Amino acid sequence: MTCTPLFDFELFRLKVDVTLHDGRTFVGTVVNADLHSDIAIVKITSSTPFPSAKLGSSCKLNPGDWVVAMGCPRSLQHTITAGIVSCVNRKSSEIGLGGMLREYIQIDCAINLGNSGGPLVNLDGEVVGVNVMKFTSATGLNFAVPMDTISKIMKQFKKKGRIIRPWLGLKMLDLNEAIISQLQDRYPMFPVVDKGVLILMVTPGSPADLAGISPGDVVIEFRGRPVGSIAESPIAAVYPESSFYPGMMLSGRSLIVGLMGEEVGAALKVVVKRGKDGIETMTVVPEEANPELI
């Protein structure tokens, strides 16, 4: 398991040299990759078993937890740096990355050229992420793909051979008490809600548009589940509905993404508040996202 920037994926099933800690070298094959999450799977074979790292769960991380980044920065083999978790769910939009929404573990371990694709490890020796990038214009702003995201990707690789991402064609905003108060003061017809997800934009011709969802609607229920906790967690975008932890607090956007799972073409019920008192129930049918557009 490593990250995609290390390879040129114009050549699928690319052959690469893999050198282990003990100096043994193997020819590996890039068997699958997801360019949007920056994760690739490389396969090597041997007549003897390989040692393997234990995979942990990134959802158990908290800001301030100690972590270790491993790699070979500037070709310096077997380099380890230590630091803390600065943020457990830094969104791609917050760090200037466009396209599909992604979430990263933000860390302050020293990361340099050569750390990409190396493991991020907790103090129990479990891999909780894969290091992928840093801010070159700042110090201590480094990022890793969460292990829970990677686990979901690997399951889809095994099951379908590729990543399927349902698409609704929405831009959404989690509502909290302060945002709701401001909107109700500015717009007298804003729905009376205490939580929910505000629809900011609907792509013309998208599944959401065809279902009748409009900008200004507030989603209060999705697929039979109330929407609107303002406490955020990256877990919802990783696990389908059956895998939510009991009592877990989710952001509304993450909940919607999580409840869609991998379903494309399935009719999903959406309940929105529209205007001062209106409540509308609609059916939306997610399409598979066009990889060229996300």
Side-chain angles (χ1 to χ4, degrees), residues 257-279:
V257 172
L259 289 177
M260 280 198 297
E262 305 166 15
E263 295 197 33
V264 171
L268 306 178
K269 179 183 174 183
V270 183
V271 180
V272 304
K273 278 200 171 184
R274 179 177 292 170
K276 194 70 174 177
D277 301 305
I279 295 181

Side-chain angles (χ1 to χ4, degrees), residues 94-130:
E94 295 178 296
I95 56 178
L97 299 179
M100 180 190 66
L101 182 66
R102 288 145 289 172
E103 291 182 333
Y104 298 97
I105 303 167
Q106 181 181 329
I107 55 177
D108 74 347
C109 306
I111 296 290
N112 293 285
L113 184 65
N115 278 111
S116 295
L120 182 70
V121 181
N122 64 18
L123 295 188
D124 292 323
E126 299 170 331
V127 178
V128 292
V130 170

Side-chain angles (χ1 to χ4, degrees), residues 278-289:
I279 295 181
E280 302 282 344
T281 300
M282 290 165 276
T283 299
V284 62
V285 181
E287 298 176 3
E288 184 172 357

Side-chain angles (χ1 to χ4, degrees), residues 36 165 167 287-294:
H36 296 290
R165 292 186 172 90
W167 176 67
E287 298 176 3
E288 184 172 357
N290 181 346
E292 299 299 325
L293 299 178
I294 60 176

